[in-house]
Amino acid sequence: KNQVEQSPQSLIILEGKNCTLQCNYTVSPFSNLRWYKQDTGRGPVSLTIMTFSENTKSNGRYTATLDADTKQSSLHITASQLSDSASYICVVSADWSSTLGRLYFGRGTQLTVWP
Amino acid sequence: EPEVTQTPSHQVTQMGQEVILRCVPISNHLYFYWYRQILGQKVEFLVSFYNNEISEKSEIFDDQFSVERPDGSNFTLKIRSTKLEDSAMYFCASSDGGSSTDTQYFGPGTRLTVL
């Protein structure tokens, strides 16, 4: 069964600190993995996308890693800001020609940054 | 920056009533999607739509659901006879390509409450 699991469920850090969020998936055959940021009451916004051959991808203070062998990914946030408070969702696409853009979502990690 | 818009932002309806959720995708996009997120749960894929027909639908998308692109700009999701368990946030998304690596851009969502 295609599933995406994330940890921790929630995380509280102080402004300026770094943090790492984890994602494990069983989606197969694998096409790509995205990290999305979802602010409360808003739709998810894409942060990074990685395909099978990519190990790391950065977008400003966000750095995502991918280990396709162990089917694990992480999202590292450096020098956190109050505006980073949001849900971070790991999303995986399967490589099926009939799967037109279907995405599998994790539950998300709720990050709270305190001043 | 172009964005996906959705109306209404919040819809309250009585069980058994029909509702239509509306979305205006990004103007040059050709692929459209609906997702839902029950409170506290994962975002779930409902349906993908391309070239005026459904490309794929999930197990959730039963005969009570239908989608339509009535004109060149709107994309709608209709629920014919709402049930209590249909209460959720419904997200519309669009992409300019149909491959699994094409980024889907999400709207802000419509919160549907069925009483």
Side-chain angles (χ1 to χ4, degrees), chain B residues 14-75:
Chain B
Q14 294 289 329
M15 188 171 56
Q17 295 296 305
E18 174 183 286
V19 294
I20 298 177
L21 310 183
R22 292 182 167 78
C23 168
V24 178
I26 294 174
S27 62
N28 63 335
H29 286 184
L30 300 175
Y31 299 82
F32 314 114
Y33 315 86
W34 282 101
Y35 295 84
R36 79 171 186 189
Q37 185 177 29
I38 294 171
L39 187 64
Q41 298 189 21
K42 299 180 182 183
V43 175
E44 301 170 290
F45 170 80
L46 290 178
V47 66
S48 58
F49 188 88
Y50 169 70
N51 200 26
N52 282 319
E53 60 182 28
I54 290 174
S55 302
E56 187 186 2
K57 58 184 180 180
S58 73
E59 316 71 50
I60 304 167
F61 195 89
D62 61 23
D63 292 342
Q64 294 297 315
F65 291 89
S66 62
V67 289
E68 191 178 29
R69 189 156 163 80
D71 53 44
S73 60
N74 290 286
F75 180 51

Side-chain angles (χ1 to χ4, degrees), chain A residues 4-5 31-32 34 36 38 41-44 46 49 51 89 93-95 98-103 105-107, chain B residues 31 33 35 37 40-43 45 48 50 55-59 89 91 98-104 106-108:
Chain A
V4 179
E5 300 295 335
S31 173
N32 61 80
R34 297 172 169 87
Y36 276 83
Q38 185 179 20
R42 307 289 296 177
S46 178
I49 177 173
T51 59
I89 307 174
S93 289
D95 187 17
S98 62
T99 307
L100 193 66
R102 179 169 180 168
L103 305 177
F105 287 73
R107 285 186 182 274
Chain B
Y31 299 82
Y33 315 86
Y35 295 84
Q37 185 177 29
Q41 298 189 21
K42 299 180 182 183
V43 175
F45 170 80
S48 58
Y50 169 70
S55 302
E56 187 186 2
K57 58 184 180 180
S58 73
E59 316 71 50
M89 182 74 93
F91 292 105
S99 82
S100 56
T101 54
D102 286 295
T103 297
Q104 294 180 27
F106 286 78

Side-chain angles (χ1 to χ4, degrees), chain A residues 70-114:
Chain A
T70 62
K71 300 186 178 182
Q72 296 180 325
S73 175
S74 66
L75 180 69
H76 187 73
I77 305 174
T78 59
S80 60
Q81 301 175 357
L82 298 179
S83 58
D84 291 335
S85 295
S87 179
Y88 290 84
I89 307 174
C90 178
V91 183
V92 181
S93 289
D95 187 17
W96 290 329
S97 59
S98 62
T99 307
L100 193 66
R102 179 169 180 168
L103 305 177
Y104 295 90
F105 287 73
R107 285 186 182 274
T109 292
Q110 184 63 47
L111 175 66
T112 303
V113 181
W114 283 2

